[in-house]
């Protein structure tokens, strides 16, 4: 007896088919793309900002931006969407750094979570967020993608349009910096 | 906690306190530059990249440092299971309905 083989659909093709239908007027189908990709993107925004509220805001504005520019998607939708979210996170980090440039380092908000959000965190998570806040956005991004999102260097290179070697360098520099900040307390 | 190192990649933020010679920040480290060995040993990087085992790392690295990175790894695992709040989809879809087609 033979069994029917499942039809294997290329995820990129499936996304493009959905996009075509959304562009043709079936806007409600955009919710499928949200559900398909929101979790890793939310975790990226959370790792980058340290604040659930900010991560949620960045994700919402990124999805709306993606919807408004859906006709411009070329290549993989998930990679295109990731770059919108990643740029949103880096813009937010640059803005918050600029806001606090005139303060002494000890006066700066060490992490960007509200006190209420901090209550939900472990001490280690809070310290890690504070340490991450000291990193340049590109180092923080590389560390979060490698260690929080659990991505491979190859996947990171594809998403960020750079080389594996460059990303290993960023991750190594981020680890150095975090160890310098955390080891007195934890090691 | 040692916070007198400038941990920024470039010159985005000026140094806010004096640094000792050994912690003076480099002007800018390009992606292709060699990494100077500092606190994190090559073995620890290899272990964090999944290239060597716990046993291999234990030969060269302090137990406290290994414990710290394991704790950070456990915390990252918890974050890796975080789901998007359902309000995100609801709010985005409502705004899309208000707007209409892309």
């Amino acid at each position: 007896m033979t069994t029917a083989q499942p039809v294997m659909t290329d995820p990129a093709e499936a996304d493009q088919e959905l996009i075509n239908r959304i562009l043709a007027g079936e806007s409600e189908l955009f919710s499928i793309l949200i559900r398909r990709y929101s979790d890793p993107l939310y975790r990226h925004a959370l790792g980058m900002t340290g604040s659930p509220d900010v991560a949620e805001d960045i994700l919402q504005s990124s999805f709306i931006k993606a919807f408004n520019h859906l006709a411009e998607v070329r290549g993989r939708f998930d990679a295109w969407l990731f770059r919108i979210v990643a740029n949103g996170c880096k813009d937010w980090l640059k803005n918050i750094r600029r806001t606090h440039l005139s303060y002494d380092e000890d006066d700066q908000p060490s992490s960007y979570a509200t006190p209420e959000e901090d209550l939900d965190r472990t001490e280690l998570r809070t310290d890690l967020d504070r340490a991450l806040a000291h990193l340049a956005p590109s180092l923080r991004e590389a560390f979060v993608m490698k260690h929080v999102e659990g991505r491979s260097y190859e996947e990171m290179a594809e998403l960020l349009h750079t080389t594996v070697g460059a990303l290993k360098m960023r991750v190594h520099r981020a680890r150095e910096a975090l160890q310098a900040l955390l080891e007195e307390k934890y090691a | 906690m040692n916070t007198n190192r400038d941990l920024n990649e470039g010159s985005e933020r000026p140094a806010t306190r004096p640094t000792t010679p050994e912690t003076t920040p480099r002007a800018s480290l390009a992606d292709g530059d060699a990494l100077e060995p500092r606190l994190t040993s090559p073995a620890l990087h290899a272990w964090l990249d999944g290239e060597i085992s716990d046993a291999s790392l234990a030969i060269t690295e302090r137990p406290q440092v290994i414990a710290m990175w394991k704790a950070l790894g456990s915390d990252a695992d918890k974050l890796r299971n975080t789901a998007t709040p359902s309000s995100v989809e609801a709010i985005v879809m409502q705004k899309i309905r208000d707007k209409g087609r892309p």
Side-chain angles (χ1 to χ4, degrees):
Chain A
M1 195 172 103
T2 58
T3 54
Q5 293 295 313
V7 178
M8 299 300 287
T9 309
D10 176 21
E13 283 179 20
D15 285 349
Q16 192 55 55
E17 191 181 321
L18 268 177
I19 289 166
N20 292 341
R21 291 175 64 184
I22 294 164
L23 290 171
E26 296 182 75
S27 299
E28 287 296 321
L29 294 179
F30 193 72
S31 64
I32 297 174
L33 292 174
I34 295 176
R35 286 196 290 274
R36 192 173 284 169
Y37 295 115
S38 63
D39 283 350
L41 296 173
Y42 177 70
R43 288 192 280 268
H44 182 82
L46 189 56
M48 288 295 284
T49 65
S51 163
D53 286 345
V54 174
E56 203 173 324
D57 285 347
I58 289 173
L59 207 57
Q60 283 170 16
S61 59
S62 296
F63 274 123
I64 290 165
K65 189 173 183 181
F67 179 80
N68 291 336
H69 294 270
L70 211 50
E72 298 164 24
V73 176
R74 302 286 181 271
R76 276 176 47 188
F77 172 74
D78 60 331
W80 178 78
L81 182 60
F82 175 84
R83 282 192 289 278
I84 294 176
V85 174
N87 287 337
C89 292
K90 282 191 273 195
D91 287 346
W92 184 84
L93 284 171
K94 282 175 192 166
N95 286 338
I96 199 143
R97 277 167 180 256
R98 201 174 298 129
T99 305
H100 295 285
L101 256 183
S102 59
Y103 295 178
D104 182 81
E105 191 172 61
D106 288 338
D107 295 331
Q108 291 186 41
S110 301
S111 71
Y112 308 117
T114 63
E116 291 75 21
E117 288 168 356
D118 268 342
L119 290 175
D120 295 333
R121 292 154 181 262
T122 63
E123 186 179 359
L124 179 64
R125 170 79 56 82
T126 303
D127 287 339
L128 177 60
D129 276 337
R130 286 179 176 155
L132 283 170
H134 285 77
L135 301 184
S138 64
L139 300 188
R140 182 173 183 148
E141 176 179 65
F143 183 85
V144 165
M145 290 178 78
K146 179 67 184 164
H147 289 295
V148 176
E149 298 166 37
R151 297 183 192 269
S152 68
Y153 285 115
E154 288 74 17
E155 190 182 1
M156 291 163 63
E158 197 174 344
L159 288 170
L160 297 175
H161 287 181
T162 187
T163 64
V164 166
L167 287 166
K168 279 190 176 178
M169 182 66 65
R170 288 180 204 168
V171 170
H172 284 205
R173 293 196 67 212
R175 289 171 185 161
E176 292 278 353
L178 292 175
Q179 189 166 335
L181 288 163
L182 294 171
E183 79 167 354
E184 188 174 311
K185 181 170 180 180
Y186 290 99
Chain B
M1 191 178 292
N2 176 13
T3 57
N4 65 347
R5 297 162 68 103
D6 186 344
L7 304 168
N8 289 294
E9 194 172 35
S11 54
E12 292 176 0
R13 193 172 56 170
T16 52
R17 59 175 73 175
T19 55
T20 60
E22 65 177 13
T23 59
T24 300
R26 297 176 54 156
S28 178
L29 188 65
D31 287 338
D33 287 354
L35 183 71
E36 291 177 9
R38 288 185 287 186
L39 284 172
T40 313
S41 67
L44 187 59
H45 283 303
W47 176 69
L48 288 167
D49 285 334
E51 293 166 359
I52 65 170
S53 66
D54 286 19
S56 301
L57 180 68
I59 297 168
T60 58
E61 195 55 80
R62 286 188 298 132
Q64 298 94 323
V65 171
I66 297 173
M68 181 187 82
W69 282 105
K70 281 188 172 177
L72 288 173
S74 298
D75 201 58
D77 285 343
K78 287 180 206 158
L79 199 58
R80 211 171 292 156
N81 293 320
T82 307
T84 314
S86 57
S87 57
V88 170
E89 182 185 339
I91 291 170
V92 171
M93 290 311 295
Q94 186 55 53
K95 288 189 176 172
I96 284 174
R97 283 183 205 108
D98 293 345
K99 180 182 182 296
R101 290 165 67 144

